[in-house]
Amino acid sequence: MELHCHSAFSLLDGASLPPTLVERAAALGMRALALTDHDDLGGIVAFAQAARERELEAIVGAEITVEIAEAGGRQRRSGEEALTHLVLLAENREGYGNLSTLITRARMEHERGRPRVSLETVAAHARGLFALTGCPRGWVPSLVARGDLDGARHAAATLRDIFDGRIAIECWDHALEQERVIVPHLMEVARTLGVPWVVTNDVHYAEPEGRMVHDVLCALRHERTLAEMGTRLRPNGEWYLKSPAQMWRRWRQHPEGLLATLEIAERCAFRMENLRPSLPGFPLPPGVSADDYLARLVEDGARERLRKRMRTQDGESSYRRQIAHELATIKRLGLAGYFLIVWDIVRFARREGILCQGRGSAANSVVCYCLGITAVDPVKLGLLFERFLSDDRQEAPDIDIDFAHRDRERVLQYVYEHYGREHAAMVCEQITYREKSVKRDLERVMGGSIQGAGLPLARLPRHRSIHVGGFVLTEEPLASVVPVEPASMEGRTIIQWDKDDVEAIGLVKIDLLGLGMLTLIQDCVRYVREARGKVVDLAALDYADPAVYDDLCRADTIGVFQVESRAQMSTLPRLKPRSFYDLVVQVALIRPGPIQGEMVHPYLRRRAGEEAVTYPHPSLEPILARTLGVPLFQEQGMRVAITAAGFTPGEADALRRAMGSKRSRERMEAICEKLIDGMQRNGIPVEAARRIYAQINAFADYGFPESHAASFALLVYASAYLKHYYAPEFLCAILNAQPMGFYSPGTLIEDARRHGVEVRAIDVTRSAYDTTLEGIAVRLGFRLIKGLGPRAREKLERALREGGAFQSIGDLVQRSGLDRRALRALAEAGALDSLVPDEPSARRRRTAVWRMLEEWRGSAGALAPAHPKLHVPTSVAAMSPREITAADYRLTGVSVHGHPMTHLRALLAENGVLTARAAHMRRDGERNVGVAGLVICRQRPPTAKGFAFLTLEDETGLLNVVVTPKRFERQAELISTAPLLLVRGTLQVEGNGRVVHLRGELFRELKADVGADGVRGHDFH
Ligand SMILES: [Zn+2]
Ligand SMILES: [Zn+2]
């Protein structure tokens, strides 16, 4: 029995994780343990879960920080002294709500990291809580320690009144003289007031060895080295969990202090399992239930979205059946309100013109499709609803929605405002100590050298940040369910639980994520409308345009969602997608999992007809035929269990979860047995059954939800379609959505130019901050110029808005108010060229720089005396085309004055170096082929066993280079850093000339004055 115990969620104080404390307590034969972290309930869910497994009573509590106003006229020596500790334990649900609310107020109403509440606040939230007077920093014991016994009695009486007698005076023995002096006085206070006194050990670590970690944490808290800590460290290691026998030996003279713990433990009966937070309600029309309302909306949606497909009798009945099945499940699980809320958020986004689309398993639901939450028709694709929701599932379903990332903040604000800040907050991400941070922090406290390395700081919580998109909503005030605290980001609040905690408690979470591709598509569609007066209706795409698939088969996919990486591009010409489902496979196939599981090549061989399509058992053909017998999707694993072993869909989902990331051996063994039994009952021989089990088991780790792949495949097609038909608008949108995707603006522009897009230079008389369209030519925007940040943007946009385009350099300097550095960047990037019409074009930039400086000096006048007098030269040297390209790349990363390689082409051609396009025409196995280009991508993926991959870009296109580990080692420095490379090697051509690699053998750096800063290449990410 221990009523006062800290875990590592008492940051920089407690040294053990909650499950470790539970393990130890159980091993010591304790029956109950309270967790009482400092102003925190972040560890309570893991604590309760571990305790349930070990059949330990998990008492819920916290040690809160209470600010005491000056009492009895006694002078405080410092502000710190007014902060006291008080341990609170939850007797019931109301008490838990009060505890959570107190912690929320302690954190929300004070600066981050300095939680505290007033005694009045405690009094307002005391019901259902049992109080212990706390450690020596408690109000009562600190007064005793000062010798103020009257004050201590008075303080104890105040607390007794606040908690209506539900209080005990805490006593401890850590073999300290000071404690032994005050404990008898504390007992005396208890006797005088007629309240019990109780023994705790104010535990800070599970076992005695935890002392060292605790000391390190304390040193980190004080930002001192251990050596400097001196007496600030606890003088001994007594703050561990002690066995009942040990406690009994120490306190046998006063057994009433131990007996009191039993009584208090009995009273504090609240358990986390009792929490059961309720779903938020959705405002309904009078007299209509949430289920009826949902059914009505689904019916409307079905009429709108499924009209065509429901025309036939068969079609109609299969949709009707599925809708009825899903609605019945939703009703049984009481989730209608949840679906209505998600529908409402999506409706808001639509109204505001914010593109959004559900991802993940929600795309398995026709209800989600009818509500417009997802864009995939699961009936048409034959998706499995139970991957999303089933009767057997304990947790609330997970609905993830992507929004155009630029507008996501507006959606979040809508949720806060519409559902109330008291009912909405974001899930936290618990950042733990990792190897690197452990080492750094240990070095700090050890004062340099770390002999003590290996100290188990790893995995302890370090701080909290915001989870990418998880929102929780509750019916009752959220603060009464889980403490809410301010996030580091202004205006955001987070709860003290992470997504695993939220799932375990059954809190409803909605993931509202930002996706750059949706911003791109949203902008592109708008540009098409503005530039051509054409409306592209994404919902009406037929996903069958041969021209779009031709591009994909050619790997002409720079900028296309998901399939633009080197690995994707080298697979596309082999997979040759010709239908929407091919894209679903493509998205799921080229990922680390299937690559590691060696699924890729069997699939591609089968697709190419080089290998027979076989099945582990004929009964599985209908399930695996869609992926040529190679299991790729989680849903397939579930269907195998349903068809071959007679599992219910819910059991199949349980199987999937058991095989997921957190495997437990016992659970797996039980399920394996059940699966093989079931298959044998269905007449599958045991040998085949074992094979099937092994196959499901092998791919369960990395199988992709088919529904998720389908949602993403829609975006693959949409982006490929827009790129094919509206290349200028596509380029404009992708440049404005940067940073996103795999390629730098330079590569995107080169690619667009090769597709016939006219790209025009940045020009202060025509450009805006963003890239814009002039007809269907693309005018680059100021945002590409490095170093023109948000402040320069504001100034430029204001000047353009108020006075129109700049007429002269003087006008620009006067009206924009930009500083010299920004003006210079504009001039050097060629943006002022059109303001120097009197000069030949090769001299304009340098002339513009001088004239700008002159104007700037004139305008700055006496304010700039420190700058030496300008001597404007009468004539400046002309820049060569190569210098112009180099300046462009240096300042903007892009150039409309020719790719760097064009300036070297004549020289290269003399030396027999081919262009990328020419190399693609050569034969397989040709030796000593030379190609040169800008290295736009360097990769050495961990799956590639030391092989490195480079992508070279020249004025004609891209070429991939493969480097063996041995050759890489030999020239690692050069290959890893040179911006421009000349590579010679042997050509490898596969798949009817569609996939071409150069096996690099010789590498040489080229100089074209394009620095490494000119490209954002993906260097070994
Ligand atoms: Zn304390
Ligand atoms: Zn404590």
Side-chain angles (χ1 to χ4, degrees):
M1 208 68 58
E2 174 61 61
L3 298 176
H4 187 165
C5 175
H6 296 272
S7 77
F9 285 85
S10 294
L11 286 195
L12 299 178
D13 193 10
S16 304
L17 285 169
T20 313
L21 293 163
V22 168
E23 283 302 312
R24 184 63 188 156
L28 291 173
M30 288 190 189
R31 282 204 321 240
L33 177 64
L35 188 69
T36 56
D37 281 316
H38 291 299
D39 306 291
D40 207 291
L41 290 174
I44 205 74
V45 178
F47 175 71
Q49 275 181 312
R52 196 168 346 146
E53 275 171 33
R54 300 305 305 256
E55 291 178 10
L56 185 80
E57 295 295 333
I59 298 169
V60 179
E63 184 164 18
I64 60 164
T65 308
V66 184
E67 191 167 26
I68 303 293
E70 271 169 57
R74 179 177 288 278
Q75 285 295 335
R76 265 186 287 145
R77 258 164 298 166
S78 75
E80 275 301 291
E81 266 199 312
L83 295 185
T84 67
H85 289 182
L86 184 67
V87 171
L88 298 176
L89 306 173
E91 291 189 344
N92 49 38
R93 174 66 183 86
E94 187 185 14
Y96 174 83
N98 278 329
L99 182 63
S100 175
T101 305
L102 279 169
I103 296 172
T104 300
R105 294 194 56 179
R107 294 201 175 255
M108 290 299 293
E109 294 167 13
H110 299 93
E111 135 194 29
R112 233 162 89 83
R114 318 205 56 175
R116 64 196 59 187
V117 283
S118 69
L119 208 52
E120 291 71 49
T121 310
V122 174
H125 298 281
R127 283 164 60 113
L129 287 169
F130 191 95
L132 311 181
T133 49
C135 66
R137 288 197 59 188
W139 188 21
V140 176
S142 60
L143 288 167
V144 171
R146 268 191 251 154
D148 183 358
L149 294 180
D150 277 347
R153 267 191 294 274
H154 181 255
T158 306
L159 290 173
R160 182 194 58 192
D161 294 346
I162 287 176
F163 289 96
D164 202 9
R166 299 183 308 280
I167 183 175
I169 308 286
E170 210 177 318
C171 297
W172 349 256
D173 184 1
H174 299 99
L176 297 183
E177 191 50 37
Q178 310 91 291
E179 283 181 0
R180 286 185 177 159
V181 171
I182 62 176
V183 159
H185 294 296
L186 286 167
M187 291 176 176
E188 178 60 34
V189 169
R191 257 192 300 278
T192 324
L193 269 93
V195 298
W197 64 271
V198 65
V199 175
T200 78
N201 200 42
D202 191 9
V203 170
H204 280 70
Y205 31 89
E207 294 184 69
E209 298 78 64
R211 178 191 179 183
M212 188 60 196
V213 179
H214 174 68
D215 284 354
V216 166
L217 292 171
C218 289
L220 284 171
R221 187 172 73 234
H222 286 90
E223 294 175 344
R224 287 168 201 267
T225 65
L226 279 173
E228 289 164 353
M229 284 293 283
T231 55
R232 284 186 195 85
L233 292 176
R234 295 210 156 111
N236 64 40
E238 293 285 321
W239 279 259
Y240 60 95
L241 272 171
K242 292 181 177 170
S243 71
Q246 217 177 342
M247 295 295 271
W248 187 258
R249 270 198 304 279
R250 163 62 187 86
W251 293 94
R252 63 174 170 248
Q253 312 289 334
H254 306 281
E256 65 270 34
L258 288 174
L259 292 173
T261 60
L262 300 178
E263 278 164 40
I264 294 168
E266 201 113 303
R267 297 184 62 129
C268 297
F270 175 76
R271 297 291 173 268
M272 290 309 286
E273 295 89 89
N274 309 140
L275 191 54
R276 304 196 181 286
S278 54
L279 292 161
F282 182 85
L284 294 162
V288 178
S289 73
D291 288 301
D292 293 343
Y293 195 60
L294 180 67
R296 207 187 284 171
L297 291 173
V298 170
E299 179 59 37
D300 292 348
R303 226 176 289 139
E304 195 186 308
R305 305 194 83 174
L306 300 171
R307 201 181 39 222
K308 268 189 217 149
R309 287 166 218 161
M310 288 191 10
R311 244 179 234 156
T312 66
Q313 190 104 58
D314 263 9
E316 163 117 32
S317 66
S318 58
Y319 280 101
R320 291 266 164 245
R321 209 167 36 231
Q322 184 60 25
I323 289 173
H325 168 60
E326 292 190 16
L327 286 174
T329 308
I330 292 167
K331 186 171 184 175
R332 275 196 301 277
L333 295 171
L335 289 170
Y338 173 53
F339 282 82
L340 290 172
I341 286 167
V342 177
W343 166 78
D344 174 57
I345 295 170
V346 167
R347 183 177 56 161
F348 164 79
R350 292 267 147 72
R351 203 165 55 216
E352 297 287 308
I354 301 168
L355 208 54
C356 65
Q357 180 180 308
R359 67 153 82 170
S361 63
N364 284 303
S365 154
V366 73
V367 161
C368 285
Y369 180 69
C370 291
L371 293 175
I373 294 166
T374 53
V376 177
D377 175 350
V379 176
K380 192 173 157 201
L381 271 182
L383 298 175
L384 184 64
F385 173 66
E386 278 71 15
R387 168 66 183 83
F388 173 58
L389 200 62
S390 74
D391 287 326
D392 306 12
R393 236 173 119 154
Q394 299 299 312
E395 300 88 10
D398 213 2
I399 299 188
D400 305 339
I401 307 166
D402 290 314
F403 296 87
H405 73 317
R406 203 194 291 133
D407 296 316
R408 172 175 170 261
E409 186 59 33
R410 280 163 61 207
V411 178
L412 299 188
Q413 290 308 325
Y414 171 77
V415 175
Y416 274 132
E417 275 156 36
H418 199 71
Y419 292 93
R421 283 195 174 260
E422 318 79 68
H423 302 275
M426 303 201 73
V427 175
C428 82
E429 177 128 21
Q430 198 68 62
I431 309 295
T432 56
Y433 282 93
R434 288 178 201 286
E435 215 162 290
K436 228 173 161 184
S437 56
V438 166
K439 197 161 171 278
R440 201 178 47 230
D441 282 347
L442 280 182
E443 275 169 357
R444 248 171 48 207
V445 299
M446 300 287 179
S449 70
I450 47 164
Q451 277 98 17
L455 219 53
L457 276 189
R459 288 175 40 242
L460 296 193
R462 194 160 189 256
H463 60 90
R464 288 194 176 101
S465 68
I466 306 178
H467 175 257
V468 283
F471 243 105
V472 286
L473 296 168
T474 50
E475 174 76 42
E476 61 262 73
L478 186 55
S480 72
V481 174
V482 52
V484 182
E485 59 180 55
S488 53
M489 190 178 163
E490 193 70 36
R492 285 287 160 79
T493 50
I494 52 173
I495 61 171
Q496 290 188 336
W497 292 341
D498 69 12
K499 67 177 186 2
D500 292 338
D501 296 332
V502 161
E503 193 178 294
I505 290 294
L507 261 178
V508 170
K509 173 166 79 66
I510 305 170
D511 274 326
L512 308 177
L513 306 153
L515 191 64
M517 182 49 69
L518 288 173
T519 308
L520 191 168
I521 293 175
Q522 181 178 306
D523 285 354
C524 186
V525 168
R526 180 161 57 86
Y527 298 155
V528 171
R529 197 176 56 232
E530 288 166 2
R532 316 189 192 215
K534 258 181 118 159
V535 177
V536 178
D537 182 1
L538 292 172
L541 292 181
D542 69 353
Y543 299 93
D545 188 332
V548 174
Y549 289 105
D550 287 347
D551 285 356
L552 290 163
C553 288
R554 267 200 305 272
D556 182 2
T557 52
I558 288 177
V560 175
F561 188 58
Q562 289 276 307
V563 296
E564 62 167 350
S565 70
R566 179 195 56 77
Q568 290 278 2
M569 275 190 179
S570 63
T571 316
L572 281 166
R574 291 181 228 186
L575 194 141
K576 298 191 188 74
R578 296 306 322 176
S579 70
F580 178 68
Y581 197 76
D582 290 344
L583 296 182
V584 178
V585 170
Q586 173 82 30
V587 165
L589 191 63
I590 306 306
R591 297 175 54 254
I595 292 172
Q596 258 162 350
E598 292 175 355
M599 299 299 203
V600 180
H601 292 288
Y603 179 84
L604 291 175
R605 277 199 303 272
R606 287 174 179 209
R607 190 156 166 110
E610 294 160 12
E611 182 182 304
V613 176
T614 57
Y615 302 97
H617 190 266
S619 66
L620 304 186
E621 185 174 340
I623 300 163
L624 298 179
R626 53 170 70 188
T627 51
L628 310 179
V630 179
L632 263 183
F633 298 116
Q634 292 176 354
E635 287 88 340
Q636 287 175 311
M638 289 171 61
R639 277 192 204 278
V640 167
I642 295 167
T643 307
F647 276 38
T648 67
E651 286 170 336
D653 190 50
L655 164 77
R656 176 188 68 77
R657 294 169 154 267
M659 287 179 166
S661 51
K662 287 185 197 156
R663 288 180 180 218
S664 112
R665 176 167 304 188
E666 297 110 67
R667 225 177 330 152
M668 283 295 292
E669 272 168 15
I671 282 178
C672 168
E673 207 169 297
K674 195 169 162 200
L675 197 68
I676 290 176
D677 275 2
M679 285 194 270
Q680 279 183 281
R681 259 200 311 280
N682 284 349
I684 297 176
V686 67
E687 275 312 301
R690 288 201 184 283
R691 252 196 336 269
I692 294 169
Y693 172 76
Q695 200 176 36
I696 300 183
N697 193 11
F699 96 102
D701 256 353
Y702 50 75
F704 209 51
E706 191 174 14
S707 47
H708 185 68
S711 300
F712 272 15
L714 293 175
L715 299 180
V716 173
Y717 185 90
S719 54
Y721 175 89
L722 291 170
K723 178 177 153 92
H724 181 86
Y725 288 106
Y726 306 105
E729 290 90 341
F730 188 81
L731 174 66
C732 190
I734 199 169
L735 289 177
N736 289 334
Q738 291 295 311
M740 70 164 284
F742 202 75
Y743 297 99
S744 65
T747 297
L748 295 169
I749 286 168
E750 286 298 321
D751 178 61
R753 281 157 58 106
R754 287 195 298 273
H755 286 80
V757 176
E758 186 187 344
V759 184
R760 296 177 179 165
I762 304 172
D763 181 341
V764 284
T765 67
R766 296 169 200 277
S767 290
Y769 187 79
D770 277 340
T771 292
T772 49
L773 285 155
E774 295 175 353
I776 55 163
V778 174
R779 172 69 68 183
L780 300 179
F782 300 124
R783 68 152 64 229
L784 286 163
I785 298 176
K786 284 166 197 165
L788 282 196
R791 281 188 52 202
R793 172 186 194 155
E794 217 173 275
K795 286 178 176 176
L796 275 168
E797 287 187 334
R798 186 170 359 103
L800 289 171
R801 200 170 47 239
E802 289 170 1
F806 300 111
Q807 302 300 317
S808 66
I809 292 180
D811 184 34
L812 168 72
V813 172
Q814 293 293 341
R815 279 205 290 130
S816 72
L818 288 172
D819 62 18
R820 198 173 66 135
R821 208 182 43 80
L823 288 165
R824 188 172 184 128
L826 281 169
E828 288 183 348
L832 309 190
D833 281 12
S834 60
L835 297 176
V836 197
D838 48 321
E839 289 282 330
S841 61
R843 293 212 174 105
R844 285 185 188 165
R845 284 191 200 198
R846 284 180 176 152
T847 308
V849 171
W850 284 109
R851 291 193 188 161
M852 180 280 295
L853 287 172
E854 220 176 355
E855 292 287 348
W856 184 80
R857 248 191 94 77
S859 74
L863 290 174
H867 294 280
K869 201 169 161 49
L870 276 178
H871 296 285
V872 181
T874 43
S875 102
V876 299
M879 287 169 87
S880 70
R882 185 166 139 179
E883 284 175 312
I884 289 177
T885 296
D888 283 345
Y889 267 81
R890 186 163 49 80
L891 287 148
T892 67
V894 310
S895 179
V896 301
H897 299 100
H899 191 276
M901 294 308 298
T902 52
H903 308 304
L904 299 171
R905 186 53 63 199
L907 184 69
L908 291 167
E910 265 171 44
N911 285 284
V913 176
L914 304 179
T915 61
R917 194 194 301 142
H920 277 266
M921 311 290 177
R922 296 299 176 109
R923 238 178 257 116
D924 182 37
E926 188 171 333
R927 303 181 60 92
N928 199 29
V929 172
V931 176
L934 199 56
V935 187
I936 59 166
C937 169
R938 303 171 216 253
Q939 291 180 318
R940 258 189 120 190
T943 47
K945 305 179 179 92
F947 278 82
F949 303 94
L950 310 177
T951 304
L952 299 184
E953 177 195 74
D954 69 14
E955 71 277 26
T956 67
L958 310 184
L959 184 74
N960 284 314
V961 177
V962 182
V963 192
T964 60
K966 225 163 144 192
R967 291 220 162 82
F968 180 83
E969 295 305 337
R970 220 176 291 152
Q971 288 186 282
E973 168 83 20
L974 176 76
I975 296 171
S976 310
T977 58
L980 285 176
L981 270 181
L982 166 62
V983 186
R984 287 186 185 277
T986 305
L987 216 55
Q988 290 190 308
V989 183
E990 293 169 53
N992 302 333
R994 290 287 183 70
V995 187
V996 179
H997 292 291
L998 185 66
R999 203 164 254 274
E1001 285 147 18
L1002 284 169
F1003 300 85
R1004 266 215 354 246
E1005 179 164 13
L1006 289 178
K1007 299 277 184 199
D1009 306 318
V1010 178
D1013 57 346
V1015 250
R1016 188 189 79 209
H1018 279 249
D1019 285 4
F1020 300 121
H1021 280 172

